[in-house]
Amino acid sequence: DTAVSQTPKYLVTQMGNDKSIKCEQNLGHDTMYWYKQDSKKFLKIMFSYNNKELIINETVPNRFSPKSPDKAHLNLHINSLELGDSAVYFCASSLGRANTEAFFGQGTRLTVV
Amino acid sequence: AQSVTQLGSHVSVSEGALVLLRCNYSSSVPPYLFWYVQYPNQGLQLLLKYTTGATLVKGINGFEAEFKKSETSFHLTKPSAHMSDAAEYFCAVRNGRNQGGKLIFGQGTELSVKP
């Protein structure tokens, strides 16, 4: 029973398209995140939601729009995809306390051609 | 602002040898520190964490790390490497005052294990 699941696992699309990545967690956590891992494997926070409220937005282009319909779901919609958006996107969740670890999904490898 | 530096983007050891992956952090408040492992085409899995209390922390798969405040370090070790330990390892820090709960990651260290 997967704790943090994201779909799709792979996404290949053309420049200019709009795409979405979905994430669900069944851990009962109240905080969810989107991280981006670039080609050099560097991980950087994009967004964080706590109880459906956006609390972190790390200078991400406004083509990226997260949506949290409830505490268990956090989706990421990307408009007008660019070549530079190619990366692996990870969803994660945790309890909203600093001393707790984050649990990560398997990642979505996005390739923009 | 917090930051994490992992010394060595690539470490290679022989099977059975000691594994030492270095992590130094910068934080103006007491940090919470984490080590994650990422196998190819997988998500990140927690190896161990330091929050408070004992500074020597034991994790899964025989790994351990020691929090040294005076050296601002949290190095990861394993006495004897296995082939299955080959992966990417990430050190991360989180602000004790939460700052939205984000983890700040180091650049990662790729561990290779030679037979």
Side-chain angles (χ1 to χ4, degrees), chain A residues 15-49:
Chain A
M15 282 175 53
N17 283 352
D18 303 339
K19 290 293 179 186
S20 292
I21 307 172
K22 296 187 175 183
C23 179
E24 176 182 4
Q25 54 96 2
N26 62 6
L27 297 167
H29 290 161
D30 56 3
T31 305
M32 295 186 73
Y33 314 83
W34 280 109
Y35 283 85
K36 180 180 180 180
Q37 186 173 47
D38 64 22
S39 59
K40 295 184 178 178
K41 297 195 176 177
F42 185 65
L43 282 152
K44 193 170 190 303
I45 184 84
M46 299 174 69
F47 301 103
S48 172
Y49 271 75

Side-chain angles (χ1 to χ4, degrees), chain B residues 3-102:
Chain B
S3 66
V4 176
T5 301
Q6 292 182 237
L7 294 175
S9 58
H10 186 255
V11 170
S12 181
V13 300
S14 297
E15 195 171 18
L18 171 72
V19 175
L20 171 61
L21 304 182
R22 299 177 188 273
C23 172
N24 287 89
Y25 69 90
S26 170
S27 178
S28 58
V29 298
Y32 296 137
L33 295 158
F34 305 81
W35 273 101
Y36 282 87
V37 61
Q38 183 181 25
Y39 298 102
N41 297 316
Q42 298 286 319
L44 280 74
Q45 179 183 6
L46 181 73
L47 278 176
L48 48 80
K49 66 178 181 180
Y50 169 78
T51 55
T52 57
T55 56
L56 182 61
V57 180
K58 294 188 185 301
I60 62 170
N61 301 340
F63 284 93
E64 62 182 37
E66 187 170 11
F67 170 63
K68 292 188 176 180
K69 184 178 178 181
S70 61
E71 298 177 9
T72 61
S73 69
F74 190 56
H75 302 330
L76 181 72
T77 60
K78 182 174 180 177
S80 176
H82 294 158
M83 296 296 291
S84 59
D85 294 327
E88 190 84 20
Y89 290 80
F90 293 94
C91 181
V93 64
R94 179 183 270 162
N95 188 324
R97 295 186 188 142
N98 212 18
Q99 276 192 340
K102 68 179 178 182

